[in-house]
Every structure is written in C-alpha cells, then in structure tokens.
Amino acid sequence: GKLPSSSHKNFPLRILLETLLMMLTTNMFVVVLMMMMAMTAMGHEGGAHAMLTPPQEVACSDASSSSDFDCSFKPFSTMEFFWNKPTTTDNVTTTTRVMAKVPNGVWAAVGFSESGFMIPALAAVGIPGGDAQLHLMTSKSTPEIVAGVVNETSMRLFWRNLPPYAPNMTDLAVTTSETEGTVLTFNVSTTSGEIPNKVIFAHGSGSDLMYHGFFSKGMATLKWG
C-alpha cells in the first residue's frame, strides 16, 4: 500500500499547534480586554492617564481672552480656566477670583483635591440654567455626588464640614450663553497661608450632572502668583 504522506503524518502536530495558538490569542484578548476595563473604571478618578502622569505644573500666563483676570490656561481643549493673582489683606486672608469657561449648555466643575485626583475633593459645580453649588466628592457615584451638596443646611443637618485641604469657596455663580458658553465663577480665600494648589477640572456633555467622560477632565498644580 501507499505510505502516508508527510502532511498526513504532521496532521496531529498541526492541530496541536493551531490549538495552542488559538488559546494564546484568546488569552491575550482576555488580558487586553481586562486592561481596557480597568482603565475605564479608573476614568472616574483621573483615568489611566492620571494614574501614570503627575498633575501638570502651571504658572501664570497672561489671560489675553479676558481683561478681568491676570492668568489663564487650558486644563484640556474644551475648558479655559482663569484666575487673578492672590492678594493678602491684614497679613491674614489671601484671596483670589477664578472663572471656568466650557461649551454652552454643559455643566462645569472646578475643585480642590487632597491628592490631585477626584476623590476626595471639594468642587464648585455650575449647572447651566440652574445653580452653582459646592459638592463634596467622596464617591464616584453620581447620586452620592449630587447628594454631597455643601451649604448651611447640610452642614447643620449632617455635621458636614469643609475638608482641611480646600480653601473657602464663596460667591458661586453660573451663566450660559451661545457666545460665552457655560461660565462658572467664584471667590477663593484662605487664612492658612497660601491657597491650596491641587486643582481638578471637568465638564459634562449636557446640563445633567453625570460622568464627564475621559477627555473632559484635567488636573493641575497651580502656581497662583
């Protein structure tokens, strides 16, 4: 009879190699998928980029697009942040005023963070067509962020205190228009020396306070003067 061909003799080996290759490919796919899921999960707290890169250091740059402020920079492409160089009165209280401009009709947030990440932080959040309020960021959950409003009532009812890493944030206001976009403004002051410099930024895709997305957030270590 005929001898089996070499391809026939190698058939079991080929099957084994193909099986091993399929298992390796599948395992690699699972690993990549798990990494992508982990990066997405971290997105609420600075994202994978934030975990790998320290907050950028930002010095005062002339605020050419606003005559009311001394300094400005862009935490990301769709937000511009402005501030005045701090002044100190009676050698006690250091004060500045800040402003954030984002596209029209979306919420804007600027906060002070303990570590440069979203949690924990105290943030001013401006809702277009609504109010500008302080929110304690103790969770990535939207309902908990919404419930974390800091005002006289909540401080009295829930024994809610301002965190030690955040300055006083007062006179919050928000406006929105087609020409200027959503504009969030407030005053910042402290009696503890220099104003804290770990600042976080974000805006939404609409007026409802929901997750901001990966590309609509930023953080910086600001040099106020």
Side-chain angles (χ1 to χ4, degrees):
K2 293 183 178 180
L3 292 173
S5 65
S6 59
S7 61
H8 184 263
K9 286 190 296 183
N10 292 335
F11 182 74
L13 179 60
R14 192 178 73 219
I15 293 294
L16 177 60
L17 291 174
E18 290 178 352
T19 303
L20 290 173
L21 180 61
M22 182 178 66
M23 292 176 62
L24 178 62
T25 304
T26 302
N27 287 338
M28 287 298 295
F29 174 76
V30 171
V31 170
V32 172
L33 181 62
M34 292 177 66
M35 290 177 64
M36 292 177 65
M37 292 174 64
M39 290 173 64
T40 302
M42 288 189 296
H44 292 280
E45 195 172 340
H49 176 77
M51 296 296 287
L52 297 174
T53 307
Q56 58 179 319
E57 291 191 359
V58 177
C60 178
S61 178
D62 288 343
S64 57
S65 59
S66 176
S67 59
D68 296 327
F69 293 88
D70 301 322
C71 317
S72 72
F73 93 108
K74 285 191 170 186
F76 46 93
S77 62
T78 50
M79 173 185 276
E80 190 166 11
F81 179 70
F82 303 82
W83 73 95
N84 285 323
K85 295 179 180 179
T87 58
T88 302
T89 57
D90 301 325
N91 294 320
V92 176
T93 304
T94 301
T95 305
T96 185
R97 184 163 178 80
V98 304
M99 176 175 74
K101 296 177 70 173
V102 300
N104 183 36
V106 306
W107 61 261
V110 176
F112 290 83
S113 166
E114 184 174 34
S115 60
F117 297 113
M118 174 181 168
I119 299 172
L122 179 68
V125 180
I127 306 294
D131 296 324
Q133 295 180 306
L134 291 179
H135 290 256
L136 271 177
M137 304 294 184
T138 58
S139 169
K140 293 177 284 187
S141 166
T142 300
E144 291 189 34
I145 293 173
V146 172
V149 173
V150 178
N151 53 34
E152 292 184 4
T153 301
S154 67
M155 293 176 72
R156 184 173 63 252
L157 292 179
F158 304 111
W159 298 82
R160 189 170 286 164
N161 297 316
L162 295 177
Y165 54 79
N168 294 316
M169 303 159 71
T170 58
D171 300 317
L172 280 67
V174 60
T175 60
T176 186
S177 69
E178 292 185 3
T179 55
E180 294 295 320
T182 298
V183 179
L184 171 67
T185 57
F186 57 94
N187 294 330
V188 179
S189 64
T190 182
T191 56
S192 302
E194 294 185 357
I195 294 173
N197 62 359
K198 291 184 174 63
V199 187
I200 58 174
F201 312 89
H203 74 65
S205 57
S207 59
D208 293 331
L209 187 56
M210 299 175 65
Y211 176 50
H212 43 65
F214 187 79
F215 298 105
S216 301
K217 66 183 188 304
M219 55 185 178
T221 299
L222 285 185
K223 295 181 179 179
W224 294 99

